[in-house]
Amino acid sequence: MPRLFFSIELPAPVKERLLQVRASVAGARWQSSAQLHLTLLFLGQVSEGRVSELCDAARCLRLPPFDLSVAGVGCFGQPASPRNLWVGASPREPLVALQAALKENLGPLGFEFEKRTFRPHITLARFKKQRGSVAGLLEEYRDADFGSFQVTEFVLYQSTQGAGGSVYTVVERFALEA
């Protein structure tokens, strides 16, 4: 069964700027350019037979394109022992609306979703048990601007575990249109 999630792809210039935020930090597993994205909705394992149903429901969304700014570095967990280093995305409202619309369309089909509050972000690094401090990176990049772009589509990705971490393959792209 494929492991699936909906996401916003990032343009190459934004990814290039994000890849500059790297430092030698104990336990950090830095994301590659191909792994940088903004997750909208994680679905987990989905049977092959349900993928077309999932795509049909996503195609029904009618939301307008919107501008997105990528800026500011933060972390989940304490800076001295983080779980995740991330970059923020704003404005939040169109991202929250897109995620809510996906949930509304997919919920009646029996898909279940994470209960925690949606916090739009782009993961830069994940940390193993041995975690080094990211306090210096937070200070250096707290107000950094990594670029803006117009979001004109969202993507359904399949995630497969690989030797260098997860490998993401596009299953289908969905246009945003008013």
Side-chain angles (χ1 to χ4, degrees), residues 14-65:
V14 171
K15 286 183 176 187
E16 288 169 18
R17 288 185 209 105
L18 292 174
L19 290 173
Q20 303 303 311
V21 184
R22 288 189 179 223
S24 181
V25 179
R29 288 178 294 146
W30 294 94
Q31 300 294 286
S32 70
S33 178
Q35 293 170 320
L36 292 171
H37 65 275
L38 190 155
T39 300
L40 292 167
L41 189 62
F42 182 76
L43 299 170
Q45 302 284 348
V46 176
S47 67
E48 289 284 348
R50 303 223 48 213
V51 175
S52 63
E53 182 182 21
L54 178 67
C55 290
D56 288 345
R59 278 187 220 107
C60 293
L61 292 182
R62 295 292 176 255
L63 293 170

Side-chain angles (χ1 to χ4, degrees), residues 74-79 81-86 116-117 119-123 125 127 131 134 138:
C75 72
F76 293 130
Q78 296 299 314
S81 183
R83 293 184 314 274
N84 184 306
L85 184 70
W86 51 263
R116 61 184 167 182
T117 303
R119 296 177 63 186
H121 67 278
I122 299 153
T123 299
F127 290 83
R131 302 171 184 167
V134 295
L138 293 179

Side-chain angles (χ1 to χ4, degrees), residues 114-177:
E114 292 180 317
K115 302 292 185 226
R116 61 184 167 182
T117 303
F118 177 51
R119 296 177 63 186
H121 67 278
I122 299 153
T123 299
L124 294 178
R126 300 177 196 285
F127 290 83
K128 300 176 186 175
K129 290 180 183 174
Q130 175 193 4
R131 302 171 184 167
S133 175
V134 295
L137 286 171
L138 293 179
E139 185 62 34
E140 183 177 353
Y141 293 102
R142 184 173 316 277
D143 299 318
D145 181 358
F146 299 99
S148 298
F149 62 100
Q150 185 173 53
V151 177
T152 59
E153 66 181 11
F154 62 100
V155 178
L156 178 63
Y157 276 117
Q158 178 175 336
S159 175
T160 308
Q161 279 304 114
S166 296
V167 176
Y168 305 132
T169 307
V170 173
V171 174
E172 188 168 332
R173 297 175 188 281
F174 306 91
L176 291 175
E177 49 192 72

